Amino acid sequence: MKPTAIIVTIGDEILIGQIANSNSQWLAQKLFSIGFTVVKMVSIGDNPQEVKDILEYTKNRYALVIFTGGLGPTNDDKTKLILTQWFNSKLILNEDVLANITNMVFRRTGSHILNQRNHDQALVPECCTVLQNEVGTAPGMIFNKCGNNTVYVSLPGVPFEMKWIYENHVLNFVQQNFDLIPQTYDLFYVMGISESALAHRLEEWENSLPEEWKPAYLPSAGLIKLRIFRPNPITEIYANSLAELTNLLGENLVASNEESVQDSIARLLIANNLTIGTAESCTGGNIAKTFTSKSGASHYFKGSVVAYSNDVKINLLGVKSESLNQFGAVSKEVAEQMAIGLAKKTNCHIAIATTGVAGPTGGTIDKPVGTVWISIYIMGQIFSEKFQFSTLREVNIERSTNTAIYLTYKHLSDFIKQ
Amino acid sequence: MKPTAIIVTIGDEILIGQIANSNSQWLAQKLFSIGFTVVKMVSIGDNPQEVKDILEYTKNRYALVIFTGGLGPTNDDKTKLILTQWFNSKLILNEDVLANITNMVFRRTGSHILNQRNHDQALVPECCTVLQNEVGTAPGMIFNKCGNNTVYVSLPGVPFEMKWIYENHVLNFVQQNFDLIPQTYDLFYVMGISESALAHRLEEWENSLPEEWKPAYLPSAGLIKLRIFRPNPITEIYANSLAELTNLLGENLVASNEESVQDSIARLLIANNLTIGTAESCTGGNIAKTFTSKSGASHYFKGSVVAYSNDVKINLLGVKSESLNQFGAVSKEVAEQMAIGLAKKTNCHIAIATTGVAGPTGGTIDKPVGTVWISIYIMGQIFSEKFQFSTLREVNIERSTNTAIYLTYKHLSDFIKQ
């Protein structure tokens, strides 16, 4: 059987939109990278019939089916019972799982006494391979010798538990049991051009490519990601096509190869021993968060001031109150003083400042919702630009963030070339 | 037909995990709230056969099918052609759409000249109802008089465009064409207790409930959300059950009814004319972001300092360098000085400070990865607590954020009661 896979999430919370389905995305990335073709993702409710329908539909049709969710200690969690029944198996106590649960509960509560619910999490279907969960109480399960050619895996729905069991057990299992060829794609981050103008520019190049290399365009606020599946091993023709693409993209290409634009900035900062910080009004800490969510950020990210009020702009960033009165908080003067003030106060080489009207309220005739000033300070030089984004708050925050990061990359790489 | 719905996303980018499927979550929330039962969500690739399979499978079986994705101007977008073919229709030029596209392109580029790709976005299937898109170039489409009882809707994949068309066209259409009863749920945010201990505490109460009111438990880092579907209209028995639940949850209940804990804090701040700010080390701006992502935050959120370096702790927050030397950056002394310093510098009444080792590097024997100090300053009083969270960076950031918000809520509500 070809290494095809289906990812299934179980839980009403996804069908009513209460939570994001981040598990499916994470698993899809992992399965793709090791060589699986994820054909479909499905979300269904905590409903025995729906689970059974999926089991029937997928058996002997796909190589691998991964379920997440429905393994908790509470009454709404039914996945383990449904699987036990469908595989004509029965629940038995697993002593290793029991020991692990006892240990987890002791670490959390200081007591060795388990309540019935935690105890019952150590009951597992007799026919499955049990996957120990060292970061939670629900074990994972692999059903691979249960009467059909499809391998079924059941994992908890809590994201960090699911990830831990995948990385510590499932990955190894599938690599040993399937013929897999690792796969990846090349990714190009393109800014400062519209999607249709970009497609127009690349038209001739795109027509010259074989079908399997046709690029996919992923537009988001102010940024287009261009994706091309990379042959394994890489051929000379492919390498030449990419070189031509890089040439066509020119200055609009801001990062590539699975690196985000922030990663490109981080690479430049580390290589040149430089540090960065942010002074954010309308982006509210979003730019800082994109830097600090990466491990190792403390080597180049000094810190940030979220300046929602004039007090903060004046006291922490040294913005002049006359400038606030004369030009308003959303102005070139204030954006520049914020950037310079942050660089001075935090001793960083580069400072990003944003000030704007995110909306939905706060707009005026002169400065409607979506008006944003962005200033980039780079060791004594300052670059400022005004933008008119959208009427939607979330779009304004996202576009301001993306644009500020893009401008930082552009001015920083120019600066370093000097 | 019962108001059942299926949400389908089209795009390889979801199947390889390149992007999160945020569209499905958003649509699921909206459809649930107006009265649809979302039975399933499916993600498939940019593959004509898969789209046709879904069309065949769903016709006359579900009331509504919403597709998102595959409507862009580039070659990888095929949804419109597939739908046109499946409905035995043909593409015709829609003058209103063409005018809208021309207008959009003019606003973006200053030119009235369309390239072929943008022009072709004005071609629509003859049999559909066209939904004008005033925030992008791809129109939406409703197929409701095309030979079967299922209503098919096709929307662009760019989230803000999809949302705009839903809110301005689709919502009105489905409300006029289906018998819908609005539905909602009651949501209880519970902290400071484990999932199994909570289920244990609620056991007797839960057993007394009819099946349709059985609560669902949604655990995340340090927070459990308890969800119960609310009958419409509310009955007295239901109201009594909730009152009993509230009583059982006691101090562990930190917010309820679709409000997040931040919303509860915001409500307390606004009612008492108080302001808040954050001084964040290990949470890197995440707490600020949870406040500032909500419209109206500028009424109570003063600002934030992300203090990744000692420079920033000293210069912006007034932390003493002797304290950093003597106790280290991750210490009660530094956490408290950060909170007090922020409150002083930004003139805010309440300050939240975090300092910890998020990991994966930076741990020591005394202060392993996961060690976090949280201090909450409230008008002259200070409350500090040390936590030992996880070995995983993302869990440490999330648990620190959730716990800091929980402690803020707890101490603030106690303070106000005084």
Side-chain angles (χ1 to χ4, degrees), chain A residues 209-380:
Chain A
L209 299 178
E211 190 58 37
E212 68 271 24
W213 295 350
K214 296 291 186 205
Y217 292 72
L218 265 137
S220 63
L223 170 74
I224 300 163
K225 296 181 192 170
L226 207 65
R227 183 194 69 221
I228 306 166
F229 289 114
R230 185 195 294 175
N232 183 1
I234 293 185
T235 60
E236 199 186 325
I237 310 178
Y238 181 78
N240 290 341
S241 293
L242 289 203
E244 199 183 329
L245 173 65
T246 305
N247 199 25
L248 285 165
L249 295 175
E251 292 235 315
N252 296 110
L253 176 65
V254 290
S256 61
N257 279 342
E258 295 187 76
E259 215 186 26
S260 66
V261 186
Q262 297 89 284
D263 289 336
S264 296
I265 295 172
R267 186 171 40 74
L268 290 176
L269 294 172
I270 292 168
N272 294 281
N273 217 4
L274 298 173
T275 56
I276 197 165
T278 71
E280 306 183 46
S281 179
C282 62
T283 48
N286 204 32
I287 304 176
K289 190 182 178 311
T290 65
F291 281 106
T292 60
S293 63
K294 308 259 169 147
S295 173
S298 54
H299 292 120
Y300 51 84
F301 189 79
K302 280 258 184 166
S304 169
V305 169
V306 179
Y308 246 51
S309 64
N310 285 349
D311 276 355
V312 174
K313 292 187 181 82
I314 296 166
N315 296 343
L316 287 183
L317 295 173
V319 172
K320 293 180 197 140
S321 56
E322 311 90 75
S323 302
L324 286 164
N325 292 334
Q326 191 179 346
F327 306 107
V330 178
S331 62
K332 184 183 182 190
E333 290 73 14
V334 169
E336 298 195 339
Q337 290 176 31
M338 287 170 68
I340 295 167
L342 186 101
K344 202 180 286 176
K345 292 286 178 82
T346 66
N347 291 323
C348 64
H349 303 95
I350 295 122
I352 307 174
T354 61
T355 179
V357 190
T361 56
T364 61
I365 293 172
D366 284 353
K367 294 171 184 172
V369 169
T371 308
V372 176
W373 274 97
I374 298 175
S375 291
I376 315 291
Y377 169 91
I378 305 182
M379 289 178 278

Side-chain angles (χ1 to χ4, degrees), chain A residues 12-21 24-26 28-29 32 38-46 50 54 62 72-78 108-109 115-118 135 158-160 163-164 185 187 194-197 199-200 203 206-207 211 214-221 225 227 229 283-286 288-289 292-298 301-309 311-312 315-317 342 344-347 359-361 391-395 397, chain B residues 12-21 24-26 28-29 32 38-46 50 54 62 72-78 108-109 115-118 135 158-160 163-164 185 187 194-197 199-200 203 206-207 211 214-221 225 227 229 283-286 288-289 292-298 301-309 311-312 315-317 342 344-347 359-361 392-395 397:
Chain A
D12 288 334
E13 61 275 17
I14 292 185
L15 293 181
I16 62 172
Q18 196 186 347
I19 65 161
N21 185 358
S24 289
Q25 183 189 6
W26 190 89
Q29 271 172 12
F32 170 77
V38 176
V39 177
K40 209 174 277 195
M41 292 176 180
V42 186
S43 296
I44 54 176
D46 296 304
E50 291 281 354
I54 298 264
Y62 301 103
T74 56
N75 295 335
D76 54 321
D77 292 307
K78 300 170 185 141
R108 283 184 190 166
T109 66
N115 62 38
Q116 189 65 39
R117 288 166 189 283
N118 278 145
V135 295
V158 177
F160 70 86
K163 292 175 187 174
W164 191 93
Y185 49 78
L187 196 59
S194 79
E195 189 185 5
S196 65
H200 190 70
E203 188 140 35
E206 213 176 298
N207 288 336
E211 190 58 37
K214 296 291 186 205
Y217 292 72
L218 265 137
S220 63
K225 296 181 192 170
R227 183 194 69 221
F229 289 114
T283 48
N286 204 32
K289 190 182 178 311
T292 60
S293 63
K294 308 259 169 147
S295 173
S298 54
F301 189 79
K302 280 258 184 166
S304 169
V305 169
V306 179
Y308 246 51
S309 64
D311 276 355
V312 174
N315 296 343
L316 287 183
L317 295 173
L342 186 101
K344 202 180 286 176
K345 292 286 178 82
T346 66
N347 291 323
T361 56
T391 51
L392 305 173
R393 183 179 182 84
E394 60 171 301
V395 175
I397 294 175
Chain B
D12 289 333
E13 61 275 15
I14 291 183
L15 293 180
I16 62 173
Q18 196 186 345
I19 64 161
N21 185 359
S24 288
Q25 184 188 5
W26 190 89
Q29 272 172 12
F32 169 77
V38 176
V39 177
K40 208 174 277 195
M41 292 175 181
V42 185
S43 295
I44 53 175
D46 295 303
E50 291 282 355
I54 298 263
Y62 301 102
T74 58
N75 294 333
D76 55 319
D77 292 307
K78 301 172 185 135
R108 282 183 190 167
T109 67
N115 62 38
Q116 188 66 39
R117 287 166 190 283
N118 277 144
V135 295
V158 176
F160 68 86
K163 293 175 187 174
W164 191 92
Y185 48 80
L187 196 60
S194 79
E195 188 184 5
S196 65
H200 191 70
E203 189 140 33
E206 215 176 298
N207 287 336
E211 190 58 37
K214 295 291 185 204
Y217 293 71
L218 264 136
S220 64
K225 294 180 192 171
R227 183 195 66 222
F229 289 112
T283 46
N286 205 32
K289 190 183 176 314
T292 59
S293 63
K294 309 259 171 146
S295 174
S298 54
F301 189 79
K302 277 258 183 167
S304 170
V305 169
V306 179
Y308 245 51
S309 66
D311 276 356
V312 173
N315 296 343
L316 287 183
L317 295 172
L342 186 100
K344 201 179 289 175
K345 292 287 178 84
T346 66
N347 292 322
T361 57
L392 304 173
R393 181 180 185 83
E394 59 172 299
V395 176
I397 294 176

Side-chain angles (χ1 to χ4, degrees), chain B residues 137-173:
Chain B
T137 53
M141 296 169 277
I142 297 181
F143 298 85
N144 63 317
K145 36 182 191 197
C146 304
N148 75 71
N149 294 322
T150 302
V151 172
Y152 291 93
V153 178
S154 169
L155 301 176
V158 176
F160 68 86
E161 297 184 27
M162 182 279 291
K163 293 175 187 174
W164 191 92
I165 299 178
Y166 176 87
E167 285 181 334
N168 289 280
H169 298 296
V170 179
L171 175 60
N172 192 32
F173 175 87

